[in-house]
């Protein structure tokens, strides 16, 4: 007895199957490429938004520092005296106020 291995015959793919597979691969590649471009565009938009928000945050931090400094100034006698002079028209005892003539 001889042992022979018989190779099973491969079934050939029809040209329509090959064309279908190629079209499917092209569609997948097209979809992936399109999504990649959309995501890249969104990424750029988000980067610009992050940059804008960081700028606004810096402005708010600066404003916060200004308000802290103003709060310290408001608690001084100098500020109280300034408000008394400007808003209330008060003067120190013995002080003479010169006002310009209105024309």
């Amino acid at each position: 007895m001889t042992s022979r291995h018989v190779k099973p015959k491969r079934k050939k793919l029809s040209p329509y199957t090959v064309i279908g597979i190629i079209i499917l691969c092209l569609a997948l590649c097209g979809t992936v490429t399109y999504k990649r471009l959309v995501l890249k565009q969104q990424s750029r938009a988000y980067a610009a938004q992050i940059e804008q928000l960081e700028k606004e945050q810096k402005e708010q931090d600066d404003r916060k520092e200004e308000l802290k400094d103003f709060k310290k100034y408001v608690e001084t006698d100098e500020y109280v005296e300034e408000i008394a002079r400007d808003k209330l028209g008060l003067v120190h005892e013995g002080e003479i106020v010169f006002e310009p003539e209105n024309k």
Side-chain angles (χ1 to χ4, degrees):
M1 277 182 128
T2 42
S3 87
R4 276 179 158 191
H5 290 350
V6 178
K7 287 186 179 179
K9 288 188 177 183
R10 286 184 132 194
K11 193 174 182 183
K12 286 189 176 183
L13 295 175
S14 76
Y16 297 114
T17 305
V18 173
I19 290 173
I21 291 171
I22 290 173
I23 290 173
L24 181 63
C25 288
L26 289 174
L28 282 172
C29 289
T31 303
V32 168
T33 302
Y34 173 75
K35 281 297 191 181
R36 185 175 148 261
L37 292 174
V38 168
L39 289 174
K40 217 175 196 180
Q41 186 179 17
Q42 283 179 342
S43 177
R44 276 188 246 125
Y46 289 146
Q49 187 178 12
I50 288 170
E51 187 177 321
Q52 177 65 29
L53 290 172
E54 286 173 346
K55 181 181 173 188
E56 288 178 17
Q57 183 179 16
K58 185 184 180 314
E59 290 173 358
Q60 291 302 318
D61 289 343
D62 292 345
R63 176 80 174 128
K64 183 179 174 182
E65 285 301 316
E66 288 175 11
L67 288 173
K68 278 184 183 179
D69 293 343
F70 184 71
K71 182 181 177 189
K72 287 179 186 176
Y73 176 65
V74 166
E75 294 171 351
T76 64
D77 291 337
E78 181 182 343
Y79 176 76
V80 172
E81 187 174 324
E82 180 184 326
I83 294 299
R85 285 179 185 275
D86 294 343
K87 305 286 182 191
L88 303 175
L90 301 176
V91 293
H92 284 288
E93 197 172 307
E95 212 173 35
I96 300 173
V97 178
F98 295 96
E99 293 185 13
E101 291 181 21
N102 292 333
K103 293 183 181 181

